[in-house]
Amino acid sequence: MSSTPPVLPPELIDQAIDHLWDDHEALEACSLTCRSWVPTSRLHLFRTVRVRSADDCTKLSALLDASPVIAHCVRKLTVSAEYKGVDSNGRACEDDAWVNQMSTLLSKLYRVHTLALSRVKWSSLLPETKSAFAVVFKSVKMLLLFEVRFDASGDVLGFLFEFPILSELYFHGVSWDRESPASQVSDTGGRVAKCMGLTYLFLDPKSSPTLVTEWLLNRASEQRLRTIQLCWREIENTRASESELECLRIEFPFGLSEEVLLQNQLTLSHNTGLRTLHFGGLDVSAAATQTLFSNRLFTWVAVMLGQISSSSLREVIFELELPDVCDLQSLDWLRIDRELSRREFNGLLLRFYVNCTRRECGSSLEGEVRRELESRLPNFLGRGTLRVSCL
């Protein structure tokens, strides 16, 4: 009788190693176990690479020279600099000179699909460094920009033009030192809009909404955007009405009025395929300090609900933060109920995520919140479904 131990099929071993994808220590142990375990272990070990200094550049370059196959494993690349004080205008200065050292190794990373740039002044990089990055850009589908600075607004669009298959874009504190001529921005924006297939766009409060909404979203027939998350605190001169969206998350300033909303022509009437609408960051305590009328907070919510012309709407979500259940009365429920109970919204799912800062979360609180909301939305309850969660 043979005493040879049973051998597991390679695909089962690969699946077991796959389950350790985020356990760096275990993956290192697997890679040292036997030669056949190395490829799968290596794929997870080097899937995400973060470069934060000149020393990191040197080590990564040496590693790729010693084992070129590792370059095939790198799918997510983060290049993150730090600040080194402030300039004469009080603006933070990027310590990003070392990024130019990456030019020799970037050409090897041709399979990167997610790229994150942090605290980098793009205009200060050497031409050869930008050219090397352009090689990486060709395969990038998800781009995250965190406090990246450009020389001019037109440079932002020129930068985005280098990403032929980009589908997800995250703007966190992106800025530029001066505005480009309108004609230049319009021309570049048109070319970017034609070549870009964005399906997801995120803008945080520090990012200027004007550039993106004017030149990336203002061409409905050429856009594939399905989800946009807007977290703006200032909306002067913004337009986000022309893109055919399926999912929209909105977090606008608590002091926003109907007049400002209409003046900026921010409307949902053109989004006939909208399926999900998410109102986030509705802080009742903060909003109450901005108005004398306690029952007139977030009036723009009802306005935007009234603009919806999509027959595909299936879900509306509210995120509310308030001191206690009684503060729910601060919203204009009469108008909200009227808009949500429209005939075309039959079967609509309405979700509320409520954080009562002065109360302990529990089933009794959730029941109290539910009863209050049900009393405020009598007409909607005859047509849709209400879901309540207390955080």
Side-chain angles (χ1 to χ4, degrees):
M1 186 174 180
S2 175
S3 60
T4 304
V7 178
L8 288 174
E11 57 268 23
L12 291 183
I13 294 176
D14 287 343
Q15 284 189 23
I17 297 175
D18 287 341
H19 282 288
L20 302 172
W21 65 273
D22 61 345
D23 189 333
H24 199 276
E25 186 176 345
L27 288 170
E28 287 183 339
C30 289
S31 67
L32 297 173
T33 300
C34 67
R35 187 183 300 274
S36 63
W37 288 22
V38 170
T40 304
S41 302
R42 183 170 52 201
L43 179 65
H44 295 296
L45 281 169
F46 298 102
R47 183 177 182 83
T48 300
V49 172
R50 298 178 178 86
V51 184
R52 301 186 180 95
S53 64
D55 187 47
D56 285 351
C57 284
T58 302
K59 291 179 179 178
L60 180 58
S61 182
L63 183 64
L64 296 180
D65 289 340
S67 183
V69 69
I70 290 177
H72 297 250
C73 303
V74 181
R75 297 290 193 275
K76 300 179 180 180
L77 175 64
T78 296
V79 180
S80 180
E82 297 295 337
Y83 290 121
K84 57 175 182 180
V86 297
D87 59 20
S88 57
N89 296 319
R91 172 181 288 178
C93 296
E94 300 85 354
D95 185 15
D96 59 353
W98 59 266
V99 176
N100 288 307
Q101 298 181 31
M102 296 193 63
S103 58
T104 56
L105 61 88
L106 284 170
S107 60
K108 304 173 184 178
L109 305 176
Y110 57 88
R111 301 190 70 179
V112 172
H113 62 60
T114 300
L115 175 65
L117 297 178
S118 177
R119 291 177 287 274
V120 173
K121 186 176 181 182
W122 183 252
S123 58
S124 69
L125 299 182
L126 297 175
E128 52 265 35
T129 303
K130 294 179 181 179
S131 298
F133 266 110
V135 175
V136 178
F137 294 170
K138 296 184 184 303
S139 61
V140 171
K141 296 181 179 180
M142 179 187 294
L143 175 64
L144 301 96
L145 302 178
F146 177 76
E147 296 183 5
V148 175
R149 187 150 56 102
F150 294 85
D151 181 45
S153 56
D155 296 337
V156 183
L157 293 172
F159 173 81
L160 295 176
F161 188 68
E162 299 293 330
F163 294 83
I165 62 173
L166 188 66
S167 60
E168 297 188 36
L169 176 60
Y170 296 76
F171 267 40
H172 298 258
V174 177
S175 62
W176 47 90
D177 297 332
R178 59 182 177 83
E179 295 292 337
S180 298
S183 57
Q184 177 190 342
V185 174
S186 179
D187 178 64
T188 309
R191 289 188 290 116
V192 172
K194 288 179 180 179
C195 75
M196 190 173 294
L198 282 182
T199 60
Y200 184 96
L201 172 65
F202 174 92
L203 297 176
D204 81 328
K206 294 182 180 179
S207 298
S208 170
T210 306
L211 185 77
V212 178
T213 55
E214 286 286 345
W215 308 115
L216 296 186
L217 301 184
N218 204 21
R219 295 167 174 81
S221 62
E222 298 163 353
Q223 291 299 309
R224 304 175 191 170
L225 262 173
R226 291 296 174 266
T227 302
I228 180 170
Q229 181 167 339
L230 310 178
C231 297
W232 299 335
R233 293 298 181 270
E234 299 178 5
I235 68 159
E236 291 184 4
N237 301 317
T238 63
R239 297 172 61 97
S241 59
E242 302 296 337
S243 184
E244 288 292 334
L245 306 177
E246 289 184 2
C247 177
L248 173 63
R249 176 190 167 95
I250 303 172
E251 186 176 336
F252 282 140
F254 44 71
L256 181 64
S257 66
E258 297 178 34
E259 291 75 18
V260 173
L261 188 71
L262 296 174
Q263 287 171 6
N264 285 275
Q265 303 179 41
L266 191 62
T267 175
L268 300 180
S269 60
H270 299 290
N271 294 288
T272 55
L274 191 66
R275 299 177 62 86
T276 302
L277 181 59
H278 190 148
F279 294 104
L282 301 180
D283 188 337
V284 172
S285 298
T289 64
Q290 304 294 313
T291 178
L292 298 175
F293 305 100
S294 60
N295 64 342
R296 294 283 291 173
L297 303 183
F298 310 117
T299 55
W300 53 270
V301 169
V303 173
M304 297 198 82
L305 288 173
Q307 295 171 344
I308 298 175
S309 59
S310 171
S311 59
S312 303
L313 190 67
R314 294 293 178 268
E315 183 179 35
V316 175
I317 302 171
F318 286 85
E319 290 182 12
L320 287 167
E321 183 168 325
L322 61 161
D324 210 335
V325 179
C326 61
D327 295 289
L328 280 170
Q329 64 183 341
S330 300
L331 278 77
D332 190 354
W333 292 111
L334 187 63
R335 293 178 65 186
I336 292 175
D337 184 43
R338 182 175 68 241
E339 299 300 345
L340 291 176
S341 59
R342 284 154 52 185
R343 180 174 299 177
E344 58 267 36
F345 294 159
N346 270 345
L348 182 69
L349 175 60
L350 181 60
R351 295 183 185 273
F352 281 88
Y353 295 99
V354 182
N355 179 20
C356 291
T357 57
R358 296 179 186 172
R359 296 281 297 276
E360 290 291 332
C361 187
S363 57
S364 60
L365 174 61
E366 191 165 300
E368 193 176 341
V369 172
R370 171 179 287 278
R371 287 190 293 274
E372 179 67 22
L373 290 173
E374 288 176 345
S375 69
R376 303 284 177 178
L377 301 167
N379 295 310
F380 167 77
L381 292 176
R383 295 185 179 275
T385 302
L386 177 66
R387 294 281 186 269
V388 178
S389 296
C390 288
L391 309 177

